[in-house]
């Protein structure tokens, strides 16, 4: 999901294991470059549908969401090592300059103390958040459980209520690629 220059261990992205440092990512990719042949997901799917062989020890590298730090930190490493990858970019942040609900929740949790978040989450949804949670990881689990069981309207109502009380402060982890950066990845063969 995210490849950063500096890991903030108490932030949501590392807690959910969706973020790695660029140096750690490079180590992983050096291993991949030495032991595997990377293909794009399109190549892998074409191989299956047309019964075409893939190179031996093939693997596909994928990135979800379209975070800007992947463009800034991961793509250059992939290019330097001659590795292929597929990027799945969420359209809403690119087109509307907004962020998806789970990223908005992460931004709030990264902007305020766990106690402040817990109090506001409980005000927004008292029935669900009746269990006291005093750390980010416990709050993340509660929010995930709530969002998995709630309908879309309830999720957005909860998020709007919380955002009115706790507006997220800008956080670099939740910046998404712009259309020109997506085009540049495509032009580079990703």
């Amino acid at each position: 999901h995210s490849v950063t220059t500096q890991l903030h261990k108490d932030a949501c992205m590392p807690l959910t294991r969706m973020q790695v440092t660029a140096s750690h990512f490079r180590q992983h990719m050096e291993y991949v470059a030495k032991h595997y042949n990377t293909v794009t997901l399109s190549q892998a799917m074409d191989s299956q549908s047309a019964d075409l062989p893939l190179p031996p020890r093939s693997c596909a590298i994928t990135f979800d969401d379209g975070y800007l730090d992947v463009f800034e930190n991961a793509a250059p490493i992939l290019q330097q090592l001659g590795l292929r990858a597929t990027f799945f970019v969420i359209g809403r942040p690119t087109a509307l300059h907004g962020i998806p609900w789970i990223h908005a929740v992460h931004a709030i949790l990264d902007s305020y103390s766990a106690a402040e978040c817990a109090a506001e989450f409980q005000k927004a949804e008292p029935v669900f958040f009746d269990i006291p949670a005093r750390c980010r990881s416990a709050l993340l689990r509660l929010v995930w459980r709530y969002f998995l069981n709630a309908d879309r309207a309830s999720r957005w109502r909860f998020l709007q209520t919380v955002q009115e009380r706790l507006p997220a402060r800008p956080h670099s982890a939740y910046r998404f690629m712009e259309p020109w950066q997506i085009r540049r990845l495509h032009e580079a063969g990703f």
Side-chain angles (χ1 to χ4, degrees):
H1 286 276
S2 175
V3 179
T4 184
T5 54
Q6 183 178 2
L7 203 61
H8 301 283
K9 292 184 182 190
D10 63 336
C12 288
M13 289 283 250
L15 284 175
T16 57
R17 298 184 178 164
M18 295 191 306
Q19 188 175 58
V20 65
T21 62
S23 61
H24 199 189
F25 178 75
R26 177 178 287 283
Q27 290 172 354
H28 284 242
M29 293 304 101
E30 287 171 348
Y31 180 87
V32 168
K34 186 175 179 180
H35 295 90
Y36 295 93
N37 292 298
T38 57
V39 295
T40 64
L41 205 52
S42 293
Q43 290 171 310
M45 292 176 69
D46 290 346
S47 152
Q48 293 295 310
S49 63
D51 202 27
L52 299 171
L54 288 171
R57 299 178 62 97
S58 292
C59 75
I61 300 169
T62 63
F63 293 91
D64 293 340
D65 299 333
Y67 289 123
L68 179 60
D69 63 9
V70 170
F71 175 81
E72 294 171 337
N73 302 316
I77 292 169
L78 294 168
Q79 285 181 310
Q80 290 165 6
L81 297 173
L83 299 174
R84 308 292 309 268
T86 301
F87 295 80
F88 294 99
V89 179
I90 300 172
R92 177 179 289 160
T94 301
L96 304 177
H97 300 287
I99 63 175
W101 65 266
I102 193 61
H103 306 298
V105 171
H106 286 181
I108 291 166
L109 284 166
D110 288 345
S111 298
Y112 297 91
S113 73
E116 289 172 299
C117 292
E120 293 304 328
F121 289 179
Q122 191 166 23
K123 288 177 191 172
E125 191 57 61
V127 174
F128 181 75
F129 290 98
D130 60 352
I131 303 165
R134 297 292 175 230
C135 68
R136 279 185 178 78
S137 59
L139 282 170
L140 273 173
R141 285 191 300 277
L142 287 172
V143 170
W144 268 104
R145 188 173 353 136
Y146 171 73
F147 274 63
L148 289 174
N149 294 312
D151 61 60
R152 185 177 185 172
S154 297
R155 287 193 303 257
W156 283 110
R157 191 172 37 256
F158 169 81
L159 187 57
Q160 283 183 313
T161 301
V162 172
Q163 285 177 321
E164 287 171 7
R165 296 177 177 142
L166 298 176
R169 298 174 187 119
H171 195 282
S172 63
Y174 308 106
R175 295 182 312 160
F176 291 85
M177 287 186 250
E178 296 288 332
W180 70 268
Q181 293 159 324
I182 298 165
R183 278 191 299 279
R184 185 166 309 150
L185 286 175
H186 180 72
E187 291 164 359
F190 292 113

